[in-house]
Amino acid sequence: MTSLWLADRTKPAWTASPLGDGPRSAEFIVVGAGITGLMTAVLLARAGKDVLVVEARSVGACATGNTTAKISLLQGTHLSKALPRHGRDLARAYVEGNREGQDWIIKHCQSHGIAVQREDAYTYAQSAKGVPSARLELKACQAVGLPVEWADDADVPFPYHGGVRLPEQAQFDPMEFVDSLAAELLERGGRLVERTRVRRVSSRGGKLAVHVNDAAQRDIELQAEKLVLATGIPVLDRGGYFARLKPSRSYCLAFKVPGKITRPMMISTDSPTRSVRYAPVRDGEVLIVGGAGHTVGRKKSPSKALQELASWTTKHFPGATQTHFWSAQDYTPIDHLPYVGPILPNSETIFVATGFNKWGMTNGAAAALTLSSRILGGRMDWSRAFDSWSPHELTGLLTAMQANLEVGFDLAKGWITPVSRIGRRSPGPDEGGIVSGPPWHLQARSRVNGTEHRVSPVCPHLGGIVNWNDADKAWECPLHGSRFAPDGTLLEGPATRDLTASR
């Protein structure tokens, strides 16, 4: 399962450094080499700072390389949810931050010869039930000054019952963008190491001690004056961000389509969600269709929704042939605004950037601008909409309570349900994964491509019991979204360690 962007990626013009090369300290350590981390690192390096980027997997391997890569200020029904909670001024500040992020990306692409397609964006109703939500989004966009209009018709081959149109938005190949950032970082004297995972952070002698495992699983200590966590969800539990975010998984399919491909970027208001865009490739163009989203670890069979998404595509684009399949993880904040800034109030040593709610291109760039400005002593007037600690989060307390009650339920359910499976047969070939056994000896068993794995199902973050994702062929924790490969290898946090082996 490799995304279009990662599969079609040309060999980058840069090379990551082995961790052993150079000093094991830096003025700034940035954790995560996606759009937010690399852009923050470049902005700091431009200011002459000593920067080291540490990536657990490879550049763009998580959200950035698995996105739909829409650089849009029209973001589904986001504004109609945020505006009633926060008022016009804060919602306008959020849009302004996204606009500056969008402008920065487009200007960077223009100066580096990276292709950007300027297309209209639509938030549309695919049935009569979706029209009221689309109308609410229209009003919200107008209230914050976006030049939107209502479009009764759109040149698309699938059901369309009207929608909001915002002209001249953008889309691109995100890997070309982050590769250019990585190259600039290294040219400016910064360093970048891959396959090095941060395990924990402590304070020592007025500096931060960043404890990592390198590609050879050696325990190594790095030192920094300041730390930026650009990891999707913070890999440190300080600040309790895992309890302030809801993790969701969504899927994308790319298709070769005979004849005409839809030009605008589309996303539906009503379920099941349909996200559509085209993408240039070496031999023409492909259609990208996204959807089938679910809360991480809580969907019994994601593959069924994925099959339905594929069927929808071939129905409305006859002759479409699937070429790629991938998925990504996103985090929805309890109050619908991102968390960008100090990990704890009144602390200026560790910073976070999270809660982009599936719009990480513009939000990620805005976060990088916010963080670099704050660290370097500047100020962004719109950054109050991105504050990691702000009174505006009080509007999400009821949502947080409900979400954490669900977490408690899933924690109990995870430990109790496997008992009912005692005595059932083990999964056979191509049957995926199952958790079974008594509470004192739970076991997660999976079989993928003829290879069987047995691991402990207990998530090392807070003890949740993982469930099997039959679309991604991975273990997922239903509590806070940690994911693991069939053999227990950690894919993404907030966990920082693998599932343990099971006997």
Side-chain angles (χ1 to χ4, degrees):
M1 184 187 73
T2 304
S3 76
L4 172 68
W5 321 120
L6 292 169
D8 286 7
R9 182 186 184 191
T10 57
K11 183 176 176 58
W14 57 269
T15 303
S17 306
L19 187 58
D21 291 0
R24 293 185 177 180
S25 64
E27 188 177 359
F28 296 90
I29 291 181
V30 177
V31 186
I35 182 174
T36 307
L38 282 172
M39 188 171 154
T40 301
V42 165
L43 290 169
L44 293 174
R46 287 181 181 180
K49 302 300 182 181
D50 174 29
V51 186
L52 169 62
V53 175
V54 176
E55 166 57 45
R57 295 165 69 181
S58 58
V59 166
C62 286
T64 297
N66 291 284
T67 177
T68 56
K70 297 176 181 178
I71 317 168
S72 178
L73 303 184
L74 181 62
Q75 301 176 350
T77 57
H78 181 68
L79 279 179
S80 56
K81 295 172 182 175
L83 184 64
R85 289 174 177 264
H86 303 294
R88 184 176 300 182
D89 288 345
L90 207 59
R92 193 187 297 271
Y94 170 82
V95 171
E96 186 57 32
N98 275 255
R99 181 181 285 111
E100 287 208 24
Q102 181 189 63
D103 289 345
W104 198 98
I105 290 173
I106 292 172
K107 289 176 182 176
H108 179 90
C109 289
Q110 289 172 342
S111 64
H112 288 76
I114 299 170
V116 174
Q117 299 85 49
R118 302 304 298 264
E119 301 291 349
D120 295 350
Y122 285 75
T123 291
Y124 77 99
Q126 56 185 332
S127 69
K129 290 183 179 179
V131 173
S133 294
R135 289 285 185 183
L136 283 175
E137 189 65 19
L138 175 71
K139 292 180 180 179
C141 290
Q142 290 172 334
V144 297
L146 283 175
V148 294
E149 63 181 19
W150 183 261
D152 288 316
D153 298 298
D155 187 17
V156 295
F158 43 82
Y160 179 90
H161 287 250
V164 186
R165 172 180 170 268
L166 180 62
E168 282 293 294
Q169 299 309 288
Q171 59 182 32
F172 69 163
D173 179 338
M175 290 308 300
E176 291 185 15
F177 178 66
V178 291
D179 278 336
S180 73
L181 292 175
E184 181 178 348
L185 173 67
L186 299 179
E187 288 170 2
R188 293 181 178 275
R191 288 176 290 154
L192 167 61
V193 296
E194 297 180 310
R195 295 171 181 81
T196 300
R197 185 177 295 279
V198 173
R199 301 298 189 185
R200 59 190 178 88
V201 178
S202 58
S203 296
R204 182 174 300 160
K207 289 191 175 184
L208 297 171
V210 183
H211 304 269
V212 305
N213 286 160
D214 67 359
Q217 293 302 303
R218 295 175 299 180
D219 294 325
I220 297 174
E221 181 181 306
L222 307 174
Q223 286 193 338
E225 294 180 15
K226 295 183 185 293
L227 182 72
V228 174
L229 299 177
T231 54
I233 187 171
V235 294
L236 302 181
D237 286 345
R238 302 169 203 181
Y241 292 91
F242 62 84
R244 302 160 65 190
L245 297 160
K246 186 173 184 177
S248 61
R249 197 102 195 139
S250 54
Y251 302 84
C252 285
L253 302 170
F255 295 85
K256 273 290 186 182
V257 177
K260 187 177 179 182
I261 296 183
T262 298
R263 308 316 290 176
M265 299 178 290
M266 313 286 296
I267 188 166
S268 65
T269 60
D270 38 353
S271 297
T273 300
R274 308 298 185 207
S275 173
V276 177
R277 65 157 284 193
Y278 74 92
V281 292
R282 293 187 183 93
D283 59 347
E285 294 179 342
V286 296
L287 175 74
I288 298 175
V289 179
H294 62 90
T295 302
V296 177
R298 301 185 194 177
K299 184 77 170 179
K300 187 174 183 180
S301 180
S303 63
K304 292 181 180 178
L306 193 60
Q307 291 167 5
E308 192 274 335
L309 183 65
S311 297
W312 178 88
T313 304
T314 54
K315 175 182 178 181
H316 298 293
F317 295 89
T321 303
Q322 184 179 323
T323 60
H324 299 80
F325 155 63
W326 68 96
S327 64
Q329 193 144 309
D330 298 279
Y331 299 90
T332 301
I334 58 172
D335 71 340
H336 296 283
L337 292 178
Y339 304 130
V340 181
I343 193 170
L344 292 173
N346 303 315
S347 171
E348 297 292 327
T349 55
I350 303 177
F351 300 86
V352 298
T354 186
F356 299 157
N357 198 20
K358 299 187 179 183
W359 296 98
M361 296 296 97
T362 53
N363 272 312
L369 292 170
T370 297
L371 289 174
S372 59
S373 175
R374 180 170 188 143
I375 290 169
L376 296 172
R379 177 182 175 182
M380 297 286 188
D381 290 338
W382 46 262
S383 65
R384 64 188 186 278
F386 293 74
D387 200 340
S388 54
W389 293 95
S390 173
H392 66 62
E393 193 182 2
L394 294 174
T395 64
L397 285 180
L398 185 60
T399 303
M401 291 173 61
Q402 180 179 350
N404 285 284
L405 284 173
E406 293 172 0
V407 166
F409 172 78
D410 279 291
L411 177 62
K413 178 183 175 184
W415 282 93
I416 294 171
T417 301
V419 177
S420 65
R421 298 181 180 137
I422 296 175
R424 294 187 186 181
R425 65 187 179 91
S426 300
D430 302 321
E431 287 191 58
I434 190 171
V435 176
S436 62
W440 57 88
H441 187 58
L442 290 178
Q443 190 175 72
R445 293 168 291 164
S446 65
R447 188 182 294 273
V448 178
N449 297 327
T451 301
E452 183 174 299
H453 298 282
R454 294 171 181 253
V455 295
S456 167
V458 182
C459 177
H461 178 230
L462 289 179
I465 302 302
V466 297
N467 291 317
W468 182 252
N469 181 320
D470 62 357
D472 281 342
K473 304 293 189 294
W475 295 108
E476 297 180 342
C477 180
L479 272 59
H480 304 112
S482 295
R483 300 178 64 252
F484 307 85
D487 66 356
T489 300
L490 175 63
L491 298 175
E492 51 193 306
T496 59
R497 297 196 177 274
D498 302 338
L499 297 176
T500 59
S502 177
R503 296 180 181 179

